[in-house]
Amino acid sequence: MNPKVEVFFSKAKKWPEEMKKMRAIILDCGLNEELKWGKPCYTFQENNVVIIQGFKEYCALMFFKGALLKDSKGLLAKPGENTQAGRLIKFTNVREITDKRTVLKAYIFEAIEVEKAGLKVEYKKNPKPIPEEFQRALDKNPALKTAFDTLTPGRQRLYILHFSAPKQSKTRESRIEKNIQHILNGKGLNDHYIQRKKR
């Protein structure tokens, strides 16, 4: 048990009993306990395996490479429409967790085997095509194209989803214009929002 995680659990107001029950099951599987992104995260040989998350409507066990698990009981859900690797199992009470204890341990041990085997999730580079407006901006500005190509696939994908979302071309162009400098600076879409919040 990690002292930093102890502090997390002592302060948890939402889903405390549920999260403690998940923690006990995970620790029983021999994973290392760490605090990452402000949440209890469990690793195998320094690789993230599973994380405990609390949301408004439910708490969850999220497998970092859940897409590679067999999901024999059909429990895994995508956290978001465009999520490629992570999968979570949602809970709303302690009983659900207790009833699924054996199954959860089987999923965790399978996730550990995924790490032991060195398996990787094959990310689709961009699930959506690049919008015309952004393609024009890339063609016009070689520095922008180079900067965009050097971003991680995840950052590229977020920009493309963000630029594709508006129905009107004018709005898409406006979004692109606002983010050009961030791309040139090597920043992801969320990076500058996080910085703004910190200020």
Side-chain angles (χ1 to χ4, degrees):
M1 286 187 179
N2 186 314
K4 287 181 184 173
V5 181
E6 279 294 318
V7 173
F8 170 89
F9 281 107
S10 69
K11 291 180 177 175
K13 290 187 176 80
K14 193 92 173 143
W15 314 109
E17 295 311 311
E18 289 79 3
M19 291 200 281
K20 281 176 190 166
K21 181 60 77 177
M22 284 191 266
R23 180 194 198 191
I25 292 168
I26 298 165
L27 288 174
D28 212 24
C29 297
L31 291 171
N32 290 323
E33 185 173 63
E34 298 177 44
L35 195 69
K36 291 188 178 185
W37 307 285
K39 295 177 177 70
C41 182
Y42 300 85
T43 62
F44 175 78
Q45 292 177 352
E46 297 184 10
N47 292 316
N48 298 325
V49 175
V50 69
I51 192 166
I52 293 174
Q53 298 177 311
F55 298 95
K56 194 177 173 184
E57 307 293 332
Y58 58 86
C59 57
L61 210 55
M62 206 277 286
F63 292 88
F64 286 89
K65 293 182 184 174
L68 299 178
L69 302 182
K70 292 186 188 87
D71 193 19
S72 55
K73 303 289 181 187
L75 299 175
L76 299 175
K78 276 186 171 192
E81 187 192 333
N82 299 298
T83 305
Q84 295 192 48
R87 296 290 183 274
L88 47 79
I89 303 176
K90 300 175 185 179
F91 298 104
T92 53
N93 61 66
V94 174
R95 175 99 189 253
E96 288 178 309
I97 300 164
T98 308
D99 289 349
K100 290 187 173 76
R101 179 185 170 85
T102 309
V103 176
L104 289 176
K105 286 181 85 169
Y107 275 55
I108 293 163
F109 284 127
E110 188 187 345
I112 293 168
E113 289 306 313
V114 163
E115 289 307 327
K116 281 183 183 173
L119 301 180
K120 305 268 184 215
V121 174
E122 282 186 36
Y123 290 95
K124 293 177 197 163
K125 197 167 182 194
N126 291 309
K128 279 198 174 206
I130 292 176
E132 277 176 49
E133 296 82 357
F134 187 46
Q135 190 59 61
R136 280 200 298 271
L138 293 173
D139 293 343
K140 245 194 283 181
N141 186 340
L144 179 66
K145 184 172 179 1
T146 304
F148 185 72
D149 288 344
T150 55
L151 291 174
T152 61
R155 286 189 168 111
Q156 289 181 8
R157 199 166 57 248
L158 271 180
Y159 274 123
I160 287 169
L161 292 168
H162 183 62
F163 297 156
S164 302
K167 287 183 178 152
Q168 292 191 353
S169 179
K170 210 173 185 179
T171 316
R172 289 195 293 272
E173 284 172 358
S174 167
R175 280 194 178 187
I176 291 160
E177 194 57 43
K178 280 180 191 165
N179 285 283
I180 284 174
Q181 195 53 54
H182 299 302
I183 295 169
L184 289 169
N185 293 342
K187 301 284 185 194
L189 181 67
N190 293 332
D191 297 345
H192 51 275
Y193 289 122
I194 291 163
Q195 281 175 347
R196 256 193 258 163
K197 278 185 183 174
K198 280 181 181 171
R199 284 182 210 145

